[in-house]
Amino acid sequence: MARTIISTPNAPAAIGPYSQAVKVGNQVYLSGQIGLDPASMQLDGVEAQAVRVFCNLKAVAEAAGASFADVVKITIYLTDLSNFGVVNEVMARYFAEPYPARATVGVRELPRGALVEADLTIVLG
């Protein structure tokens, strides 16, 4: 099956050998996004990073012709699980019921010292 690479300047460019997203059939797999501002490539505090993570994911989803309503699975990675509530509050600003499936994973470190990262799986149509 053919793969289509999805890329947008409205989210940070990949900082490694990967694509922002890959579309296969009616499924789109978004790579993890950390809270980098695409213009400054800087990180702020945990709430600001969480907001930026979802803004970056939204930009990549839109580049694929999708919206957050098409998301079926999200995985969130946190370097400190005490930030779980903050990230939940931020996520609730971007998603409405019925919510996608989700996993939240505590990790030791994230790229560039980020505090939060998330990736998505989307099914179109």
Side-chain angles (χ1 to χ4, degrees), residues 84-109:
F84 186 83
V86 172
V87 174
N88 275 344
E89 285 180 23
V90 172
M91 182 178 163
R93 299 177 203 167
Y94 293 90
F95 290 88
E97 291 188 44
Y99 298 116
R102 186 179 102 177
T104 302
V105 181
V107 297
R108 182 175 174 183
E109 291 182 86

Side-chain angles (χ1 to χ4, degrees), residues 2-19:
R3 298 182 315 159
T4 303
I5 302 304
I6 308 298
S7 181
T8 178
N10 297 325
I15 57 176
Y18 60 90
S19 301

Side-chain angles (χ1 to χ4, degrees), residues 1 6 21-30 60-62 64-74 95 98-101 119-125:
M1 188 172 279
I6 308 298
V22 177
K23 181 179 177 187
V24 180
N26 70 335
Q27 297 183 4
V28 184
Y29 301 91
L30 278 69
V60 177
E62 288 173 349
S67 74
F68 279 170
D70 300 309
V71 174
V72 296
K73 177 73 186 322
I74 181 168
F95 290 88
Y99 298 116
D119 62 57
L120 302 177
T121 302
I122 293 172
V123 176
L124 299 170

Side-chain angles (χ1 to χ4, degrees), residues 1-86:
M1 188 172 279
R3 298 182 315 159
T4 303
I5 302 304
I6 308 298
S7 181
T8 178
N10 297 325
I15 57 176
Y18 60 90
S19 301
Q20 288 176 329
V22 177
K23 181 179 177 187
V24 180
N26 70 335
Q27 297 183 4
V28 184
Y29 301 91
L30 278 69
S31 293
Q33 287 284 331
I34 58 175
L36 286 174
D37 180 283
S40 70
M41 297 298 279
Q42 297 299 311
L43 294 165
D44 292 316
V46 67
E47 182 175 359
Q49 284 187 42
V51 167
R52 177 50 59 190
V53 163
F54 289 110
C55 288
N56 292 342
L57 289 168
K58 182 178 180 192
V60 177
E62 288 173 349
S67 74
F68 279 170
D70 300 309
V71 174
V72 296
K73 177 73 186 322
I74 181 168
T75 303
I76 298 173
Y77 308 89
L78 297 172
T79 59
D80 184 344
L81 288 172
S82 71
N83 292 322
F84 186 83
V86 172

